[in-house]
């Protein structure tokens, strides 16, 4: 691996290989650029798992879904979310804003008719631009 200031070539890769041929790579981008970055990825389609105490805590699966507390994604309300959290105890998400002003935390839902990430094509009359759904156990597709 090269030293800081290098150009992010294959020489800047730390690779861990598995017995069955899979690998995990850590790669430096151009560290002399304005916004250098480190990449961690599996080029062969393997999942990335983080854990503590010999227990899986967070998984990024091959569909690029983030799973916390579960190994498999599930359909809820006819959708398979990109972020899923499951637990047998308290399952919650906390947003806390600490600031010396009158603002509070924010949840934003947005929709566009664009077909690529970053597009901002105008929506049409009658389009759903956001939903919050609730489902109970025993319902079809939860």
């Amino acid at each position: 691996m090269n030293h800081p200031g290098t150009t992010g070539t294959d020489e800047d890769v730390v690779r861990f290989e598995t017995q069955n041929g899979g690998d995990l790579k850590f790669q430096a981008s151009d560290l002399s650029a304005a916004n250098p970055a480190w990449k961690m990825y599996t080029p062969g389609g393997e999942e990335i798992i983080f854990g503590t105490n010999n227990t899986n805590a967070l998984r990024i699966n091959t569909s690029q879904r983030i799973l916390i507390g579960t190994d498999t994604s599930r359909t809820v309300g006819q959708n398979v979310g990109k972020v899923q959290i499951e637990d047998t105890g308290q399952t919650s998400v906390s947003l806390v804003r600490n600031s010396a002003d009158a603002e509070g935390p924010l949840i934003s839902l947005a929709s566009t008719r664009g077909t690529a990430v970053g597009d901002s094509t105008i929506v049409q009359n009658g389009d759903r631009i956001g939903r919050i759904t609730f489902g109970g156990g025993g319902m079809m597709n939860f």
Side-chain angles (χ1 to χ4, degrees):
M1 184 159 162
N2 292 336
H3 297 287
T6 59
T7 59
T9 65
D10 279 344
E11 294 176 356
D12 299 321
V13 174
V14 176
R15 174 181 284 163
F16 299 92
E17 294 186 23
T18 63
Q19 291 179 347
N20 63 359
D23 58 59
L24 173 67
K25 294 181 180 181
F26 293 92
Q27 181 176 13
S29 68
D30 185 351
L31 297 177
S32 64
N35 295 309
W38 284 90
K39 298 177 186 177
M40 180 176 76
Y41 61 96
T42 61
E46 298 85 9
E47 297 182 338
I48 298 175
I49 301 169
F50 299 91
T52 60
N53 296 323
N54 293 318
T55 302
N56 295 349
L58 182 143
R59 173 185 303 258
I60 302 172
N61 72 10
T62 58
S63 298
Q64 297 183 341
R65 290 186 175 88
I66 297 172
L67 308 174
I68 300 172
T70 182
D71 293 341
T72 56
S73 60
R74 74 156 70 199
T75 300
V76 177
Q78 300 176 356
N79 296 294
V80 182
K82 290 296 264 186
V83 177
Q84 298 184 22
I85 303 171
E86 285 202 33
D87 199 337
T88 57
Q90 182 182 10
T91 301
S92 63
V93 176
S94 298
L95 302 174
V96 178
R97 177 180 169 133
N98 296 294
S99 61
D101 57 31
E103 295 297 321
L106 171 70
I107 297 174
S108 296
L109 305 175
S111 182
T112 173
R113 284 280 181 123
T115 59
V117 173
D119 281 354
S120 292
T121 305
I122 193 167
V123 295
Q124 302 296 314
N125 187 25
D127 284 359
R128 287 187 191 177
I129 58 171
R131 290 188 292 177
I132 298 177
T133 61
F134 299 86
M139 297 174 56
M140 184 70 151
N141 288 328
F142 210 124

